[in-house]
Amino acid sequence: MSEFEPKIVGFLCNWCGYAGADLAGTSRLSYPTNIRIIRLMCSGRVEPAFILSAFENGVDGVLVAGCHPGDCHYRAGNNYAEKRVEKTKKLLDTLGIGSDRLRLEWISAAEGEKFASVIKDFTEKLRVKGPSPLGGDFEVEAAAVQHNSTESIHDIMKRTKALYCQECGKCSSSCPITRLDPLYSPRLAVEKALMGLEDAVLTDKGLWSCLTCYLCRQRCPLDIEYDELIRTCRAKAAANGIEGNCSHEGVLYSLSRLMAHPKTKQNRLDWIPPGAEFTKAGDILYYVGCLPYFNTVFDDIGVKNIEIAQSMLKILNAAGIKPVLLENERCCGHDLSFAGDQESFEKLAKMNTTALKKTGVSKVVTTCPECYRTLKVDYTELFGKQKFEVLHASELITDLINNGKIKFEGKLDKKVSYQDPCRLGRHMGVYDAPRNVITSIPGVELVEMERNRENALCCGVSAWMGCGRHSKQMQVERLTEAKNTTADLLVTSCPKCQIHLNCALSEKLPVKKEEVSIETCDLSVLVARALNLTQTSTAVEMISR
Amino acid sequence: MSEKPSVLVIGGGIAGIQASLDLAGRGFQVYVLEETPTIGGRMAQLDKTFPTMDCSICILAPKMMECFRHPNIKLLTYSELKEVKGSVGDFHVKILKKPRYVDETKCTGCASCTEHCPIEVPNEFDMKLGMRRAIYMPMPQAVPRTMTVDRENCIECGLCAKVCRAGAVDFTQQPQDIDLDVGAIIIATGFDQYDPSEIVEYGYQRLKNVLTALEFERWVCASGPVGGHLLRPADGGIPKKIAFIQCVGSRGRKLGTPFCSSVCCMYATKEALIIREHAPDVQVSIFYNELRAFGKGFQEFVNRAREEYGVKYIRSRPGEIREDPNTKTLTIWYDDTLTREIKALTGVDLVVLCPALLPRPSNKKLAEIAGVNLDDCGFFKVTHPLLAPVDTNVPGIFVCGYCQSPKDIPDSVAQASAAAARAAEAIALVQVQRAPGGTA
């Protein structure tokens, strides 16, 4: 059997790393041919997404090489590279690929020898370590159900009831995107489809602007399923090679797709707080979702998403419940599904359903409304009725409060407003459960924003798609509305709402900070705080900036 | 049927009144069953009628009085239908007459009891915008002109009985069963208004300056809760901009009804004209979907509204209404579908929603009692929509007005006359069959 030859991708900066490699070549130094070099202007250009994408494509190691600290030709690009590589290493560890498959080196233009020795050393180490768990043949088992990109536009219109459109304009005048960007409107999308202009529908940039926030569907008198129409058309467009403008360079899609690999073996339970308990078999399963990854990716905007999972686990423990946690739980696939990658979504759906079925639990609780919708609606659509009941944390906590399983002692003097996540509210119709939880905490006063419940404004981005000027405008609008309630705390029950609103707060805004600055917090974290289960209150740390 | 052949008319609105007068004029004994204390129905609530702009009550009140005074008509107001048995020519009907606690034969309608009653409750006739007392007459033109005690709200202080010089107040009245034998039955139960508070984005009941069309009719009516002055409901200010939104709950597939209520385009135009006549400087916009001006003189009426009165028609179903929390002034977001522009109509003082008009939910019970069929929407079904437009599946039971299908006043009146004629025919046929030598 031939010896294993690792495949390495090298992202080298133009001025140092690449010049170093060049010197190695002109100096006739020999080094292993396992590296494939990609030249970039600066190592600061290397996004975590690039590295993950390389692993997604089956490489065994990635090398990032830039100028020595202080020598960057763009002043601080290599500092960014260092931070990003650090972040990516954490992601690789969680994914089970291993952080030692990623290497950052400072190689100057004069260090041809160093380049050659680094490559030699890296290749040797990878050879000993063996192939990447996700390497090799990336073809995996056929999708669970034939995805419907073959459906004709007329059939899609029929299925989503778009044929009933009266062109009344209620959708477009409700759409938060159309109001900011008239080039996209749900009515025009339907109109084009009605005229049979399939190409126009699929190539429309607006197809990727839609937030699938359900506001148009909520208000449409004809009950047209715009979200489903958009999702199917995106899948169809993607099948034709048209892709949307994804945010974060697609790192979150890469993560989901890597989780869709059947050989993935993640280390995702390192967040369990000391003293907290969980089991491998039981009645209730806590589906954590992508929180361990979000925690790493969004570390720099100050959102500690993993606190949501830690709080939820502590709340469950406080109620005498030891939940089942999956060691190798995979992404629910929601974002891939709404980004047009139906195939990967269906793979994830199949693997998750199988894993959940194996545990034999009767209830699955989620803290993320997107997991909630996907497990409850989309998986059921794919595989029929599930044996377990899917609950959102707010619903389960309401039950626990009503049954006296958890009791609040002491008061939490806070004025609180609540942001309805679109997946939990309009998609699933859960408006009261989170409000019941908030109002049952002694001392907490709930004040509603002007647009609430069915009318609530989306946090600005969904499915990691097209975050831009309009998203920021919506976030500023929403934060101003929250601020106008005079609440101290903006509670949401979706980790993504919290990420997006905090992202806006961490950036330069066209308004004064004090007009929008409000502390945000997840519902589970709020409950854990009220139950005195958390020592630190990150929420307070977060927005005192 | 030993005496005069008789007919029961269920519903004392304009359709029921017309059918009753037609039949009474032919010599039939007519019983008019009405569940509220007065006949008149929805038409009595309207300010004006399209396309002639007649004062609604001015043309209706004489007909109501004619009904009351006609020797062949007996009004059974404040009553309910309990049972129908028998068949054409020989129906046995049980009616429950609810106690008014006022003797109809003694009460003169002088209203001195009302002046003394200490209890005030929202008046249903004024769409709960105005108040009435616990002893009340729903409207000044009520027929019969008799007070009614609302025992749910009455505190039984007895003041009304003390001040009544006719001695008409009688708290010992009991529900009364009435048995009738009639040859035919005409159903004319009219419509109810869809409650648009379900359509949360329009903020009905959440936003004070949002009214429904029937509320607006009472609001601008001279005998209404504010004496016919055009005011902002939130603060009594003078409005400068008023907007109408059509198809609120109608022509939908999710909330409300799938059908078109058929009268909204025209009454909105009429109400726009009323506004411009009240205050010519008020800017009026009507948000419509398809302008259904289908009747005689209707398109001309709309043209007049556009040209002479400057009413603005905008083709759109607005997305949402938002309120300035301080001034209570409204902003309507809409997509002008003809120009494809997303716009906001700002500074709107009053929004009038034109909700779907529904067949009454009580039709279901009535259909069970009488054994007639309803369609999916709750309208009474006729045996053939083209060739038997007033005949139900039960021979001898006929239907007319909005409870059969959406229609306006002229069509309701025409259909009422048709139902009266068919009822007369059915009775005549039975009489011939039962006569000596007849087939039965």
Side-chain angles (χ1 to χ4, degrees), chain A residues 161 164 166-170 172-174 178-179 187-188 191 217-223 450-451 454-455 481, chain B residues 199-202 206 251-255 289-290 315-320 322-323 333-337 340 342:
Chain A
K161 302 178 211 155
Y164 295 113
Q166 292 175 355
E167 297 185 37
C168 67
K170 202 168 178 186
S172 41
S173 51
S174 296
T178 312
R179 230 173 256 183
R187 183 170 76 88
L188 291 187
E191 209 174 288
R217 179 167 171 188
Q218 172 77 34
R219 292 180 179 173
C220 176
L222 290 314
D223 198 20
E450 188 208 330
R451 283 176 280 180
E454 293 91 343
N455 291 333
E481 228 171 88
Chain B
I199 300 177
V200 287
E201 58 272 21
Y202 290 162
R206 174 164 55 85
R251 304 178 62 211
R253 291 174 48 81
K254 191 163 50 184
L255 301 173
N289 279 300
E290 271 81 39
R315 193 195 171 278
S316 173
R317 247 191 191 118
E320 63 179 348
R322 291 181 65 185
E323 184 191 55
W333 281 93
Y334 67 98
D335 177 356
D336 190 333
T337 56
R340 292 187 171 161
I342 308 296

Side-chain angles (χ1 to χ4, degrees), chain A residues 47 112 279 323 433:
Chain A
E47 300 261 356
T279 61

Side-chain angles (χ1 to χ4, degrees), chain B residues 78-80 82 95-101 151 170-178:
Chain B
Y78 214 44
S79 303
E80 278 172 26
K82 285 287 166 200
I95 287 165
L96 180 80
K97 192 164 167 48
K98 292 184 276 182
R100 281 174 184 262
Y101 305 104
R151 279 303 279 270
D170 173 12
F171 281 99
T172 62
Q173 265 189 7
Q174 293 296 322
Q176 202 185 330
D177 286 317
I178 298 174

Side-chain angles (χ1 to χ4, degrees), chain B residues 2-3 18 79 95 116 135 148 167 192 211 328 344 381 420 440:
Chain B
S2 50
E3 310 147 31
Q18 182 64 36
S79 303
I95 287 165
H116 287 82
I135 183 164
T148 306
D192 243 353
L211 294 180
K328 307 283 174 204
K381 227 177 187 172

